[in-house]
Amino acid sequence: MHDDLIARAQTWLAEDPDPDTRAELSKLIEAGDLTELADRFSGTLQFGTAGLRGELGAGPNRMNRSVVIRAAAGLAAHLKATGHTDGLVVIGYDARHKSADFARDTAAVMTGAGLKAAVLPRPLPTPVLAFAIRHLGAVAGVEVTASHNPPRDNGYKVYLGDGSQIVPPADAQIAAQIQAIASLHDVPRPETGWQTLDDAVLDAYLARTDAVLAPTSPRTARTVYTAMHGVGKATLLAAFARAGFPEPALVTEQADPDPDFPTVAFPNPEEPGAMDLAFAKARETSPDLIIANDPDADRCAVAVKQGADWRMLRGDEVGALLAAHLVARGAQGTFAESIVSSSLLGRIAEKANLPYEETLTGFKWIARVDGLRYGYEEALGYCVDPEGVRDKDGITAALLITELASTLKEENRTLLDLLDDLAVEHGLHATDQLSVRVQDLTIIARAMERLRENPPTTLAGLRVTQAEDLTRGTDKLPPTDGLRYTLEGARVIVRPSGTEPKLKCYLEAVIPVKTHKDLPEAHATANEILAALKRDLSTAAGI
């Protein structure tokens, strides 16, 4: 075992093109650090529908140039096998450690494989890459990003020519092509031959952002904005300036790209503490709302003043507000969301006589809905311009929510007032999440197994009227690893996260509301139900 491990590490080292990871791996081999070597060589980062995502470092079980070159070669082989022998692959990247290197390696591999490659001019938001694929007529796109993961991670997200992320079976087909690469020496990587794009693509994206707003809408809402140390600032400020909104007040400590994310434990607006600096800025400047992007700016978080202080709106609340705004503006087409998002969207669409679809989790599914006009997911992802960007887009979502806040401001109302109106019209749809981060992935597998073997019959004192194991699929959904419980007045979905070592449980309580006067009591009841659901589900899953 010992000799085999060292031999595998030495073979990998001989091919590694990156002096940083070579030095790191040489040290481990010299020190005979078998525990660390076993972790790095115990498996390979698996290429799936989220592409690749993992910790940076040397070895097949980490994100590094060797792993990325193999992934790029696998994608190139897949494109050629599916008839795209000389198509264009467009490549974008964020400002994380090694992102620019991974983008350049990808361009070299595509060029070496006889495809055309074009790289965005600098670190830009993921939606700009998703836009560029359709705009340039590319056969595929790659975004190098780990989104809102910790600083030590990076990732590799693959889109096909329709501008949406890969879904099965393409992921397995690409993974098989990656497996087939015997040695990196077999992968041609010329020094030149690809194109570095200028700002024309970004300008075309910004020109489209205007289209999400109504031509004569008010543009008066004042915002505080944080880029969360990511790449969103310049693009968002340009979009806001074009639209004629007041210039956002910046959270300066988080405004510029910094791959170490020094002010946050996790650069995700949903994580505790991530919005503290934005709240402090809002207390100083009294804006109408706070806007935050995650580091690659495909997500948008919104916070509003409630009473004396500020609070983050849930993704489901923003999802419903944007839907109501689009309905009020006469939007036509299908409204779609993932199964883990609030059922309120279905009520809004039904009342407006609009088609409605529910999909599996992830924009790779939402983006594929026929006739899509608007799609959202509770994890702060919103697609408000599907013709331009067939993915979540934190820039256009920020424009649209600021337009809505401006419209309400003219009526002396706020986003919270509109949420109250929606609760009275459709019932209060209160959502929460129980999320358990683990070091040991077997904990997640055991929890899922336990729930499958002993499905709960009641949760929070409510009878489970239907228990579905989603691995079997449903008449509308392909199979996925998840469990869905329908209760009298509530709903629970349990699934392992696709991108992080987390078990996620999505909870919703629906309380009928007769008048605005009944709202405080409805909120109190919903909070009690959600707390009891968390407690009972934890017990049932053994977490």
Side-chain angles (χ1 to χ4, degrees):
M1 166 64 193
H2 163 253
D3 293 346
D4 175 49
L5 190 56
I6 296 288
R8 272 189 295 152
Q10 282 168 335
T11 304
W12 185 272
L13 180 66
E15 291 188 350
D16 190 340
D18 187 336
D20 295 341
T21 43
R22 285 175 61 84
E24 186 187 311
L25 189 52
S26 298
K27 259 190 204 151
L28 292 174
I29 294 170
E30 280 161 31
D33 188 341
L34 297 183
T35 313
E36 188 62 27
L37 285 170
D39 181 34
R40 288 156 184 261
F41 286 83
S42 61
T44 312
L45 271 191
Q46 286 308 299
F47 188 92
T49 50
L52 293 167
R53 205 179 280 188
E55 192 177 335
L56 288 161
N61 211 13
R62 295 284 188 275
M63 277 299 292
N64 51 61
R65 289 183 58 197
S66 299
V67 163
V68 163
I69 289 164
R70 285 171 184 275
L75 172 60
H78 172 72
L79 290 171
K80 289 164 81 170
T82 50
H84 302 295
T85 43
D86 60 352
L88 172 70
V89 178
V90 60
I91 302 146
Y93 58 103
D94 67 11
R96 283 178 181 264
H97 293 297
K98 297 282 179 193
S99 287
D101 294 346
F102 296 167
R104 193 176 54 248
D105 281 332
T106 302
V109 170
M110 296 303 158
T111 306
L115 291 145
K116 298 185 189 81
V119 185
L120 291 180
R122 59 186 167 279
L124 285 166
T126 293
V128 177
L129 181 272
F131 166 80
I133 296 163
R134 290 163 72 90
H135 180 67
L136 298 172
V139 296
V142 169
E143 176 69 20
V144 180
T145 180
S147 189
H148 55 272
N149 274 37
R152 62 176 184 273
D153 289 5
N154 212 330
Y156 198 81
K157 198 186 265 193
V158 175
Y159 297 77
L160 291 179
D162 61 356
S164 56
Q165 295 171 51
I166 52 167
V167 294
D171 56 339
Q173 289 163 356
I174 295 168
Q177 296 281 10
I178 295 170
Q179 287 305 130
I181 295 154
S183 162
L184 282 196
H185 300 312
D186 302 338
V187 180
R189 294 199 327 276
E191 294 289 311
T192 56
W194 58 89
Q195 183 187 4
T196 299
L197 296 164
D198 59 18
D199 277 357
V201 166
L202 178 61
D203 293 343
Y205 167 81
L206 285 168
R208 264 210 83 91
T209 63
D210 304 351
V212 306
L213 302 173
T216 56
S217 62
R219 311 276 164 98
T220 52
R222 291 170 50 252
T223 54
V224 157
Y225 172 69
T226 174
M228 206 64 66
H229 298 298
V231 299
K233 178 184 83 169
T235 307
L236 182 124
L237 291 181
F240 269 57
R242 288 179 68 104
F245 287 113
E247 188 176 340
L250 296 178
V251 178
T252 47
E253 303 93 325
Q254 298 174 334
D256 294 315
D258 186 333
D260 295 317
F261 305 104
T263 67
V264 288
F266 284 95
N268 176 356
E270 292 181 292
E271 293 281 348
M275 295 288 283
D276 288 357
L277 288 169
F279 291 165
K281 185 75 177 177
R283 289 181 202 113
E284 275 171 40
T285 55
S286 299
D288 298 298
L289 71 165
I290 299 171
I291 299 282
N293 285 139
D294 68 338
D296 68 327
D298 63 352
R299 293 164 201 253
C300 174
V302 180
V304 293
K305 192 158 193 198
Q306 185 164 35
D309 211 356
W310 289 81
R311 89 158 168 96
M312 265 272 288
L313 292 178
R314 293 194 159 277
D316 284 319
E317 292 176 311
V318 177
L321 287 168
L322 291 174
H325 183 43
L326 288 169
V327 166
R329 278 185 24 190
Q332 291 297 311
T334 304
F335 279 32
E337 65 180 339
S338 62
I339 55 171
V340 298
S341 306
S342 168
S343 56
L344 176 54
L345 185 69
R347 305 287 83 74
I348 291 170
E350 186 181 21
K351 181 112 192 242
N353 288 318
L354 290 172
Y356 164 77
E357 288 273 340
E358 221 179 27
T359 73
L360 292 185
T361 314
F363 263 82
K364 55 183 177 282
W365 298 108
I366 295 170
R368 285 183 155 66
V369 167
D370 277 347
L372 182 67
R373 174 59 187 88
Y374 168 65
Y376 99 91
E377 182 151 83
E378 57 69 48
L380 312 182
Y382 315 94
C383 173
V384 300
D385 174 26
E387 288 310 300
V389 175
R390 211 145 256 268
D391 197 7
K392 52 188 180 289
D393 182 346
I395 307 291
T396 47
L399 287 170
L400 199 62
I401 198 76
T402 309
E403 176 184 61
L404 172 57
S406 301
T407 306
L408 292 164
K409 188 178 180 177
E410 302 293 292
E411 303 163 4
N412 257 337
R413 283 156 43 81
T414 67
L415 295 173
L416 291 176
D417 293 327
L418 179 52
L419 280 174
D420 286 349
D421 293 351
L422 291 172
V424 173
E425 191 175 354
H426 303 285
L428 174 65
H429 289 64
T431 57
D432 202 356
Q433 201 183 109
L434 171 64
S435 181
V436 185
R437 188 181 285 275
V438 298
Q439 292 287 299
D440 177 3
L441 288 174
T442 60
I443 294 169
I444 293 176
R446 278 202 304 275
M448 294 298 285
E449 195 180 330
R450 199 171 152 150
L451 288 169
R452 285 192 168 104
E453 285 172 3
N454 298 298
T457 51
T458 63
L459 290 167
L462 303 171
R463 193 166 66 81
V464 176
T465 56
Q466 189 179 16
E468 297 167 278
D469 185 342
L470 299 175
T471 47
R472 302 192 180 108
T474 71
D475 54 350
K476 292 204 167 157
L477 298 169
T480 185
D481 186 7
L483 300 163
R484 176 162 62 178
Y485 304 111
T486 308
L487 301 104
E488 288 163 343
R491 185 210 63 192
V492 172
I493 291 170
V494 185
R495 62 178 276 274
S497 166
T499 53
E500 296 176 274
K502 279 182 173 179
L503 181 68
K504 290 185 160 183
C505 311
Y506 304 84
L507 321 170
E508 179 173 46
V510 183
I511 315 290
V513 183
K514 284 207 174 79
T515 68
H516 282 75
K517 280 198 215 68
D518 302 314
L519 277 166
E521 192 186 336
H523 278 287
T525 306
N527 289 340
E528 281 169 26
I529 292 171
L530 291 170
L533 284 172
K534 272 189 183 177
R535 193 180 56 237
D536 293 357
L537 198 58
S538 296
T539 307
I543 49 177

